[in-house]
């Protein structure tokens, strides 16, 4: 394994640990003031038992998108075949984008539910929307979003194909914040629908 990939995974583990620390501290402030909680000792013990690592997102591989402006990006695939796309930064996956991806994957159920509410008007046949890509790469930047959730429509129990209706939902932050972010969702792209 290359040194750059190893350092990217180390950054991923540190980002996940920082995120979990912030979550525990927030919950303690909200609900746990009546009991004593040694957050630092708890986190040190958790880190020594099992440190989160690249298994969270899978291994990133370099991909080249063939578009009007060819570009290199990195992609990992989750257990359910959802693709995670992050931009290239000096020959390695962007550690900032990986940090964002870890946070979004951990909140995925809630965010996906919000996105699916926007897709109700696009649903005409019996079937369901399937999340196929979480894009933190250049496409998200082009749409001025933090990330894109890309969905394809699966009719009945059929397979997804190149002609399946496809929608990209953009998640943007009108007011950047480190605390609980409130994303504004908009449909950025829709393809494969009858006129």
């Amino acid at each position: 394994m290359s040194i750059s990939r190893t350092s990217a995974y180390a950054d991923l583990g540190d980002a996940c640990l920082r995120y979990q620390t912030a979550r525990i501290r927030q919950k303690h402030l909200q609900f746990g003031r009546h009991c004593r909680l040694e957050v630092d000792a708890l986190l040190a013990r958790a880190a020594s038992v099992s440190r989160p690592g690249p298994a969270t997102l899978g291994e990133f591989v370099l991909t080249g998108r063939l578009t009007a402006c060819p570009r290199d990006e990195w992609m990992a695939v989750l257990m359910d075949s959802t693709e995670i796309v992050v931009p290239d930064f000096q020959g390695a996956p962007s550690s900032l984008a990986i940090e964002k991806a870890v946070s979004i994957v951990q909140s995925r159920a809630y965010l996906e539910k919000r996105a699916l509410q926007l897709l109700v008007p696009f649903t005409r046949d019996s079937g369901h929307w399937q999340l196929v890509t979480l894009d933190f790469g250049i496409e998200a930047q082009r749409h001025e979003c933090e990330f894109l959730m890309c969905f394809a429509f699966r009719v009945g129990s059929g397979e997804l194909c190149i002609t399946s209706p496809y929608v990209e939902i953009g998640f943007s932050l009108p007011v950047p914040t480190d605390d609980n972010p409130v994303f504004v969702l908009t449909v950025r792209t829709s393809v494969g629908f009858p006129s």
Side-chain angles (χ1 to χ4, degrees), residues 59-75:
E59 185 169 346
F60 281 89
V61 294
L62 186 62
T63 62
R65 287 197 179 177
L66 299 175
T67 61
C69 301
R71 56 191 182 256
D72 288 337
E73 292 179 305
W74 294 81
M75 183 173 64

Side-chain angles (χ1 to χ4, degrees), residues 30-94:
Q30 285 178 320
F31 307 111
R33 288 184 175 245
H34 60 279
C35 64
R36 188 172 177 183
L37 176 63
E38 297 292 333
V39 174
D40 293 329
L42 175 66
L43 289 170
R45 174 79 177 123
S48 68
V49 172
S50 77
R51 185 169 175 89
T56 306
L57 296 180
E59 185 169 346
F60 281 89
V61 294
L62 186 62
T63 62
R65 287 197 179 177
L66 299 175
T67 61
C69 301
R71 56 191 182 256
D72 288 337
E73 292 179 305
W74 294 81
M75 183 173 64
V77 181
L78 300 177
M79 295 294 288
D80 66 352
S81 299
T82 303
E83 300 171 344
I84 308 291
V85 176
V86 298
D88 179 78
F89 180 72
Q90 298 178 346
S94 164

Side-chain angles (χ1 to χ4, degrees), residues 94-110:
S94 164
S95 58
L96 177 61
I98 290 174
E99 188 175 327
K100 286 181 184 179
V102 168
S103 177
I104 297 307
V105 167
Q106 290 173 343
S107 306
R108 175 181 166 177
Y110 168 73

